[in-house]
Amino acid sequence: WLRTLAKLSRSLPQPAHRRTIVVGIGSPALFDVYLPVPQESLLWPFWLHALSASADAGVAVYVVDPRGVSSRVDLGYGLVEETGGEVFMRSNTFERAVDAVWREAGHYYRLGYSPTARRRELHSIEVEVTRPGMHVRARRSRGD
């Protein structure tokens, strides 16, 4: 999946001011890759490459779990949250997930930045808004 996401992201035309949403339909365990100790994982280079490629292409990953409500344990931030997406598995009504993804695809602002600090594998990103009633779903990190 990580190789596929990187390849798909690299094959997209460079966006001017667009966001691309990739929806994985299946188990979050497959699409929402989580690395407990990233640099020690054998998946780390693939995960970092997928994260960097998706950032360059403006790709956010969303997951719709066809099993609906499940007892998945939240392990923290995985690839979905790192790209600014969301996992939908709290309902057996798929229309809600489709509506939410569609709504987010049409209502967004795209911000960009260039790190000025020394070069490193991963940069943390934090976006906040002060306007009441506004919600932020943003990429949490970017690889070099």
Side-chain angles (χ1 to χ4, degrees), residues 36-75:
V37 183
Q39 289 81 356
E40 295 178 13
S41 170
L42 294 176
L43 292 177
W44 173 248
F46 301 102
W47 193 85
L48 188 61
H49 185 65
L51 189 63
S52 297
S54 65
D56 290 343
V59 170
V61 177
Y62 288 73
V63 177
V64 177
D65 188 345
R67 298 173 300 176
V69 177
S70 68
S71 60
R72 178 179 181 223
V73 175
D74 188 8
L75 299 173

mmCIF file of all heavy atoms in Angstrom, residues 36-75:
data_model
loop_
_atom_site.group_PDB
_atom_site.id
_atom_site.type_symbol
_atom_site.label_atom_id
_atom_site.label_comp_id
_atom_site.label_asym_id
_atom_site.label_seq_id
_atom_site.Cartn_x
_atom_site.Cartn_y
_atom_site.Cartn_z
ATOM 1 N N PRO A 36 4.914 2.350 15.435
ATOM 2 C CA PRO A 36 5.111 2.686 16.841
ATOM 3 C C PRO A 36 6.450 3.367 17.124
ATOM 4 O O PRO A 36 6.518 4.334 17.848
ATOM 5 C CB PRO A 36 4.998 1.355 17.566
ATOM 6 C CG PRO A 36 5.073 0.314 16.527
ATOM 7 C CD PRO A 36 4.749 0.937 15.209
ATOM 8 N N VAL A 37 7.521 2.883 16.552
ATOM 9 C CA VAL A 37 8.838 3.507 16.682
ATOM 10 C C VAL A 37 9.356 3.653 15.250
ATOM 11 O O VAL A 37 10.030 2.767 14.742
ATOM 12 C CB VAL A 37 9.796 2.651 17.542
ATOM 13 C CG1 VAL A 37 11.120 3.370 17.722
ATOM 14 C CG2 VAL A 37 9.162 2.317 18.884
ATOM 15 N N PRO A 38 9.009 4.774 14.588
ATOM 16 C CA PRO A 38 9.225 4.891 13.143
ATOM 17 C C PRO A 38 10.608 4.529 12.631
ATOM 18 O O PRO A 38 10.733 3.688 11.758
ATOM 19 C CB PRO A 38 8.908 6.363 12.861
ATOM 20 C CG PRO A 38 7.990 6.752 13.942
ATOM 21 C CD PRO A 38 8.404 5.957 15.150
ATOM 22 N N GLN A 39 11.649 5.132 13.138
ATOM 23 C CA GLN A 39 12.968 4.903 12.564
ATOM 24 C C GLN A 39 13.467 3.480 12.759
ATOM 25 O O GLN A 39 14.382 3.052 12.074
ATOM 26 C CB GLN A 39 13.987 5.899 13.142
ATOM 27 C CG GLN A 39 13.786 7.315 12.662
ATOM 28 C CD GLN A 39 12.696 8.069 13.415
ATOM 29 O OE1 GLN A 39 12.006 7.532 14.272
ATOM 30 N NE2 GLN A 39 12.521 9.340 13.080
ATOM 31 N N GLU A 40 12.872 2.732 13.675
ATOM 32 C CA GLU A 40 13.293 1.350 13.913
ATOM 33 C C GLU A 40 12.487 0.346 13.083
ATOM 34 O O GLU A 40 12.802 -0.828 13.060
ATOM 35 C CB GLU A 40 13.166 1.017 15.393
ATOM 36 C CG GLU A 40 14.119 1.830 16.252
ATOM 37 C CD GLU A 40 13.951 1.542 17.735
ATOM 38 O OE1 GLU A 40 13.278 0.554 18.092
ATOM 39 O OE2 GLU A 40 14.490 2.318 18.539
ATOM 40 N N SER A 41 11.445 0.795 12.403
ATOM 41 C CA SER A 41 10.593 -0.087 11.617
ATOM 42 C C SER A 41 11.198 -0.312 10.235
ATOM 43 O O SER A 41 11.765 0.604 9.629
ATOM 44 C CB SER A 41 9.205 0.535 11.466
ATOM 45 O OG SER A 41 8.448 -0.204 10.530
ATOM 46 N N LEU A 42 11.037 -1.528 9.719
ATOM 47 C CA LEU A 42 11.488 -1.821 8.363
ATOM 48 C C LEU A 42 10.643 -1.073 7.338
ATOM 49 O O LEU A 42 11.057 -0.884 6.194
ATOM 50 C CB LEU A 42 11.425 -3.329 8.103
ATOM 51 C CG LEU A 42 12.376 -4.186 8.936
ATOM 52 C CD1 LEU A 42 12.138 -5.668 8.655
ATOM 53 C CD2 LEU A 42 13.824 -3.818 8.673
ATOM 54 N N LEU A 43 9.447 -0.646 7.744
ATOM 55 C CA LEU A 43 8.560 0.097 6.841
ATOM 56 C C LEU A 43 8.909 1.584 6.765
ATOM 57 O O LEU A 43 8.382 2.296 5.923
ATOM 58 C CB LEU A 43 7.102 -0.034 7.307
ATOM 59 C CG LEU A 43 6.471 -1.405 7.186
ATOM 60 C CD1 LEU A 43 5.069 -1.388 7.762
ATOM 61 C CD2 LEU A 43 6.440 -1.847 5.735
ATOM 62 N N TRP A 44 9.780 2.067 7.649
ATOM 63 C CA TRP A 44 10.069 3.495 7.748
ATOM 64 C C TRP A 44 10.413 4.150 6.402
ATOM 65 O O TRP A 44 9.813 5.156 6.043
ATOM 66 C CB TRP A 44 11.173 3.750 8.776
ATOM 67 C CG TRP A 44 11.620 5.176 8.807
ATOM 68 C CD1 TRP A 44 12.831 5.663 8.421
ATOM 69 C CD2 TRP A 44 10.873 6.314 9.260
ATOM 70 N NE1 TRP A 44 12.887 7.019 8.605
ATOM 71 C CE2 TRP A 44 11.690 7.447 9.109
ATOM 72 C CE3 TRP A 44 9.579 6.475 9.754
ATOM 73 C CZ2 TRP A 44 11.270 8.730 9.445
ATOM 74 C CZ3 TRP A 44 9.160 7.764 10.101
ATOM 75 C CH2 TRP A 44 10.006 8.867 9.938
ATOM 76 N N PRO A 45 11.337 3.620 5.592
ATOM 77 C CA PRO A 45 11.650 4.303 4.331
ATOM 78 C C PRO A 45 10.455 4.366 3.380
ATOM 79 O O PRO A 45 10.254 5.360 2.692
ATOM 80 C CB PRO A 45 12.782 3.481 3.707
ATOM 81 C CG PRO A 45 13.157 2.443 4.696
ATOM 82 C CD PRO A 45 12.178 2.462 5.824
ATOM 83 N N PHE A 46 9.639 3.312 3.358
ATOM 84 C CA PHE A 46 8.459 3.290 2.487
ATOM 85 C C PHE A 46 7.403 4.266 2.993
ATOM 86 O O PHE A 46 6.749 4.949 2.211
ATOM 87 C CB PHE A 46 7.883 1.869 2.418
ATOM 88 C CG PHE A 46 8.858 0.869 1.891
ATOM 89 C CD1 PHE A 46 9.524 0.013 2.753
ATOM 90 C CD2 PHE A 46 9.138 0.789 0.532
ATOM 91 C CE1 PHE A 46 10.441 -0.904 2.278
ATOM 92 C CE2 PHE A 46 10.044 -0.126 0.044
ATOM 93 C CZ PHE A 46 10.706 -0.978 0.914
ATOM 94 N N TRP A 47 7.229 4.304 4.310
ATOM 95 C CA TRP A 47 6.270 5.207 4.938
ATOM 96 C C TRP A 47 6.670 6.653 4.676
ATOM 97 O O TRP A 47 5.865 7.483 4.293
ATOM 98 C CB TRP A 47 6.213 4.916 6.438
ATOM 99 C CG TRP A 47 5.081 5.522 7.180
ATOM 100 C CD1 TRP A 47 3.824 5.016 7.306
ATOM 101 C CD2 TRP A 47 5.092 6.739 7.932
ATOM 102 N NE1 TRP A 47 3.062 5.852 8.096
ATOM 103 C CE2 TRP A 47 3.822 6.904 8.490
ATOM 104 C CE3 TRP A 47 6.072 7.687 8.190
ATOM 105 C CZ2 TRP A 47 3.479 7.992 9.285
ATOM 106 C CZ3 TRP A 47 5.748 8.778 8.974
ATOM 107 C CH2 TRP A 47 4.456 8.922 9.512
ATOM 108 N N LEU A 48 7.942 6.962 4.849
ATOM 109 C CA LEU A 48 8.450 8.314 4.630
ATOM 110 C C LEU A 48 8.302 8.718 3.168
ATOM 111 O O LEU A 48 7.904 9.843 2.854
ATOM 112 C CB LEU A 48 9.910 8.392 5.068
ATOM 113 C CG LEU A 48 10.539 9.772 5.076
ATOM 114 C CD1 LEU A 48 9.819 10.699 6.042
ATOM 115 C CD2 LEU A 48 12.010 9.668 5.465
ATOM 116 N N HIS A 49 8.595 7.799 2.251
ATOM 117 C CA HIS A 49 8.463 8.082 0.813
ATOM 118 C C HIS A 49 6.997 8.338 0.446
ATOM 119 O O HIS A 49 6.698 9.270 -0.305
ATOM 120 C CB HIS A 49 9.042 6.929 -0.001
ATOM 121 C CG HIS A 49 9.068 7.178 -1.469
ATOM 122 N ND1 HIS A 49 9.839 8.155 -2.051
ATOM 123 C CD2 HIS A 49 8.382 6.590 -2.473
ATOM 124 C CE1 HIS A 49 9.633 8.160 -3.358
ATOM 125 N NE2 HIS A 49 8.750 7.211 -3.636
ATOM 126 N N ALA A 50 6.088 7.521 0.983
ATOM 127 C CA ALA A 50 4.654 7.719 0.709
ATOM 128 C C ALA A 50 4.172 9.045 1.277
ATOM 129 O O ALA A 50 3.398 9.778 0.638
ATOM 130 C CB ALA A 50 3.838 6.564 1.296
ATOM 131 N N LEU A 51 4.624 9.391 2.459
ATOM 132 C CA LEU A 51 4.241 10.650 3.096
ATOM 133 C C LEU A 51 4.768 11.841 2.295
ATOM 134 O O LEU A 51 4.043 12.814 2.054
ATOM 135 C CB LEU A 51 4.758 10.693 4.530
ATOM 136 C CG LEU A 51 4.257 11.835 5.394
ATOM 137 C CD1 LEU A 51 2.744 11.755 5.575
ATOM 138 C CD2 LEU A 51 4.946 11.806 6.744
ATOM 139 N N SER A 52 6.011 11.781 1.851
ATOM 140 C CA SER A 52 6.602 12.866 1.062
ATOM 141 C C SER A 52 5.909 13.020 -0.291
ATOM 142 O O SER A 52 5.593 14.133 -0.707
ATOM 143 C CB SER A 52 8.093 12.609 0.834
ATOM 144 O OG SER A 52 8.782 12.596 2.043
ATOM 145 N N ALA A 53 5.684 11.902 -0.968
ATOM 146 C CA ALA A 53 5.039 11.953 -2.285
ATOM 147 C C ALA A 53 3.621 12.487 -2.175
ATOM 148 O O ALA A 53 3.181 13.293 -3.001
ATOM 149 C CB ALA A 53 5.037 10.559 -2.919
ATOM 150 N N SER A 54 2.888 12.053 -1.150
ATOM 151 C CA SER A 54 1.514 12.538 -0.989
ATOM 152 C C SER A 54 1.499 14.021 -0.631
ATOM 153 O O SER A 54 0.614 14.758 -1.062
ATOM 154 C CB SER A 54 0.757 11.713 0.056
ATOM 155 O OG SER A 54 1.322 11.868 1.337
ATOM 156 N N ALA A 55 2.480 14.490 0.123
ATOM 157 C CA ALA A 55 2.566 15.918 0.453
ATOM 158 C C ALA A 55 2.853 16.733 -0.805
ATOM 159 O O ALA A 55 2.230 17.775 -1.033
ATOM 160 C CB ALA A 55 3.641 16.165 1.506
ATOM 161 N N ASP A 56 3.787 16.276 -1.620
ATOM 162 C CA ASP A 56 4.132 16.991 -2.853
ATOM 163 C C ASP A 56 2.939 17.107 -3.795
ATOM 164 O O ASP A 56 2.774 18.111 -4.482
ATOM 165 C CB ASP A 56 5.276 16.291 -3.583
ATOM 166 C CG ASP A 56 6.598 16.410 -2.855
ATOM 167 O OD1 ASP A 56 6.726 17.280 -1.959
ATOM 168 O OD2 ASP A 56 7.515 15.622 -3.178
ATOM 169 N N ALA A 57 2.105 16.068 -3.823
ATOM 170 C CA ALA A 57 0.955 16.041 -4.739
ATOM 171 C C ALA A 57 -0.326 16.593 -4.108
ATOM 172 O O ALA A 57 -1.352 16.663 -4.777
ATOM 173 C CB ALA A 57 0.715 14.614 -5.226
ATOM 174 N N GLY A 58 -0.277 16.959 -2.846
ATOM 175 C CA GLY A 58 -1.480 17.462 -2.188
ATOM 176 C C GLY A 58 -2.519 16.382 -1.964
ATOM 177 O O GLY A 58 -3.726 16.617 -2.071
ATOM 178 N N VAL A 59 -2.077 15.175 -1.638
ATOM 179 C CA VAL A 59 -2.968 14.030 -1.460
ATOM 180 C C VAL A 59 -3.293 13.829 0.017
ATOM 181 O O VAL A 59 -2.405 13.848 0.863
ATOM 182 C CB VAL A 59 -2.322 12.738 -2.019
ATOM 183 C CG1 VAL A 59 -3.111 11.501 -1.624
ATOM 184 C CG2 VAL A 59 -2.199 12.824 -3.531
ATOM 185 N N ALA A 60 -4.581 13.642 0.298
ATOM 186 C CA ALA A 60 -5.045 13.257 1.631
ATOM 187 C C ALA A 60 -5.685 11.880 1.502
ATOM 188 O O ALA A 60 -6.416 11.612 0.546
ATOM 189 C CB ALA A 60 -6.060 14.259 2.165
ATOM 190 N N VAL A 61 -5.397 10.998 2.449
ATOM 191 C CA VAL A 61 -5.922 9.631 2.410
ATOM 192 C C VAL A 61 -7.089 9.505 3.386
ATOM 193 O O VAL A 61 -6.981 9.896 4.542
ATOM 194 C CB VAL A 61 -4.827 8.600 2.776
ATOM 195 C CG1 VAL A 61 -5.397 7.188 2.798
ATOM 196 C CG2 VAL A 61 -3.659 8.691 1.807
ATOM 197 N N TYR A 62 -8.184 8.964 2.894
ATOM 198 C CA TYR A 62 -9.362 8.663 3.703
ATOM 199 C C TYR A 62 -9.604 7.166 3.608
ATOM 200 O O TYR A 62 -9.284 6.538 2.595
ATOM 201 C CB TYR A 62 -10.597 9.398 3.180
ATOM 202 C CG TYR A 62 -10.576 10.880 3.452
ATOM 203 C CD1 TYR A 62 -9.740 11.733 2.754
ATOM 204 C CD2 TYR A 62 -11.413 11.429 4.421
ATOM 205 C CE1 TYR A 62 -9.719 13.094 3.015
ATOM 206 C CE2 TYR A 62 -11.406 12.786 4.686
ATOM 207 C CZ TYR A 62 -10.555 13.608 3.973
ATOM 208 O OH TYR A 62 -10.539 14.957 4.242
ATOM 209 N N VAL A 63 -10.175 6.586 4.661
ATOM 210 C CA VAL A 63 -10.473 5.155 4.668
ATOM 211 C C VAL A 63 -11.924 4.952 5.084
ATOM 212 O O VAL A 63 -12.373 5.528 6.076
ATOM 213 C CB VAL A 63 -9.548 4.375 5.638
ATOM 214 C CG1 VAL A 63 -9.933 2.908 5.682
ATOM 215 C CG2 VAL A 63 -8.097 4.534 5.235
ATOM 216 N N VAL A 64 -12.633 4.143 4.304
ATOM 217 C CA VAL A 64 -13.983 3.732 4.654
ATOM 218 C C VAL A 64 -13.920 2.235 4.921
ATOM 219 O O VAL A 64 -13.575 1.452 4.039
ATOM 220 C CB VAL A 64 -14.991 4.045 3.527
ATOM 221 C CG1 VAL A 64 -16.374 3.533 3.889
ATOM 222 C CG2 VAL A 64 -15.015 5.537 3.221
ATOM 223 N N ASP A 65 -14.219 1.856 6.147
ATOM 224 C CA ASP A 65 -14.182 0.454 6.545
ATOM 225 C C ASP A 65 -15.538 -0.170 6.243
ATOM 226 O O ASP A 65 -16.535 0.188 6.862
ATOM 227 C CB ASP A 65 -13.861 0.352 8.034
ATOM 228 C CG ASP A 65 -13.604 -1.074 8.488
ATOM 229 O OD1 ASP A 65 -13.940 -2.012 7.737
ATOM 230 O OD2 ASP A 65 -13.075 -1.244 9.595
ATOM 231 N N PRO A 66 -15.615 -1.110 5.283
ATOM 232 C CA PRO A 66 -16.902 -1.693 4.918
ATOM 233 C C PRO A 66 -17.513 -2.558 6.021
ATOM 234 O O PRO A 66 -18.694 -2.886 5.957
ATOM 235 C CB PRO A 66 -16.586 -2.541 3.681
ATOM 236 C CG PRO A 66 -15.137 -2.826 3.771
ATOM 237 C CD PRO A 66 -14.519 -1.657 4.494
ATOM 238 N N ARG A 67 -16.735 -2.880 7.056
ATOM 239 C CA ARG A 67 -17.276 -3.646 8.171
ATOM 240 C C ARG A 67 -18.109 -2.767 9.089
ATOM 241 O O ARG A 67 -18.778 -3.263 9.986
ATOM 242 C CB ARG A 67 -16.133 -4.287 8.974
ATOM 243 C CG ARG A 67 -15.308 -5.255 8.167
ATOM 244 C CD ARG A 67 -14.112 -5.709 8.937
ATOM 245 N NE ARG A 67 -13.291 -4.535 9.258
ATOM 246 C CZ ARG A 67 -12.196 -4.571 9.996
ATOM 247 N NH1 ARG A 67 -11.799 -5.712 10.506
ATOM 248 N NH2 ARG A 67 -11.501 -3.490 10.226
ATOM 249 N N GLY A 68 -18.030 -1.449 8.891
ATOM 250 C CA GLY A 68 -18.800 -0.536 9.729
ATOM 251 C C GLY A 68 -18.227 -0.442 11.116
ATOM 252 O O GLY A 68 -17.020 -0.365 11.296
ATOM 253 N N VAL A 69 -19.087 -0.458 12.092
ATOM 254 C CA VAL A 69 -18.662 -0.327 13.478
ATOM 255 C C VAL A 69 -17.761 -1.508 13.834
ATOM 256 O O VAL A 69 -18.098 -2.652 13.624
ATOM 257 C CB VAL A 69 -19.884 -0.288 14.427
ATOM 258 C CG1 VAL A 69 -19.432 -0.223 15.867
ATOM 259 C CG2 VAL A 69 -20.773 0.888 14.083
ATOM 260 N N SER A 70 -16.584 -1.183 14.353
ATOM 261 C CA SER A 70 -15.657 -2.244 14.759
ATOM 262 C C SER A 70 -15.004 -1.841 16.070
ATOM 263 O O SER A 70 -15.160 -0.735 16.550
ATOM 264 C CB SER A 70 -14.598 -2.475 13.668
ATOM 265 O OG SER A 70 -13.750 -1.365 13.567
ATOM 266 N N SER A 71 -14.251 -2.742 16.605
ATOM 267 C CA SER A 71 -13.622 -2.473 17.898
ATOM 268 C C SER A 71 -12.132 -2.176 17.730
ATOM 269 O O SER A 71 -11.322 -2.629 18.498
ATOM 270 C CB SER A 71 -13.815 -3.667 18.828
ATOM 271 O OG SER A 71 -13.213 -4.806 18.246
ATOM 272 N N ARG A 72 -11.778 -1.436 16.712
ATOM 273 C CA ARG A 72 -10.375 -1.103 16.459
ATOM 274 C C ARG A 72 -9.832 -0.239 17.591
ATOM 275 O O ARG A 72 -10.448 0.719 18.018
ATOM 276 C CB ARG A 72 -10.258 -0.347 15.134
ATOM 277 C CG ARG A 72 -8.837 0.069 14.828
ATOM 278 C CD ARG A 72 -8.780 0.785 13.504
ATOM 279 N NE ARG A 72 -7.406 1.164 13.222
ATOM 280 C CZ ARG A 72 -7.049 2.339 12.740
ATOM 281 N NH1 ARG A 72 -7.953 3.242 12.478
ATOM 282 N NH2 ARG A 72 -5.795 2.609 12.501
ATOM 283 N N VAL A 73 -8.637 -0.564 18.019
ATOM 284 C CA VAL A 73 -7.963 0.218 19.045
ATOM 285 C C VAL A 73 -7.190 1.334 18.338
ATOM 286 O O VAL A 73 -6.468 1.086 17.371
ATOM 287 C CB VAL A 73 -6.980 -0.668 19.854
ATOM 288 C CG1 VAL A 73 -6.189 0.173 20.827
ATOM 289 C CG2 VAL A 73 -7.741 -1.771 20.556
ATOM 290 N N ASP A 74 -7.350 2.562 18.810
ATOM 291 C CA ASP A 74 -6.642 3.681 18.219
ATOM 292 C C ASP A 74 -5.203 3.679 18.723
ATOM 293 O O ASP A 74 -4.946 3.830 19.910
ATOM 294 C CB ASP A 74 -7.333 4.996 18.584
ATOM 295 C CG ASP A 74 -6.744 6.179 17.839
ATOM 296 O OD1 ASP A 74 -5.909 5.962 16.931
ATOM 297 O OD2 ASP A 74 -7.125 7.316 18.156
ATOM 298 N N LEU A 75 -4.251 3.500 17.808
ATOM 299 C CA LEU A 75 -2.841 3.426 18.164
ATOM 300 C C LEU A 75 -2.142 4.775 18.082
ATOM 301 O O LEU A 75 -0.945 4.864 18.298
ATOM 302 C CB LEU A 75 -2.129 2.425 17.242
ATOM 303 C CG LEU A 75 -2.642 0.991 17.306
ATOM 304 C CD1 LEU A 75 -1.988 0.143 16.242
ATOM 305 C CD2 LEU A 75 -2.408 0.409 18.686
#
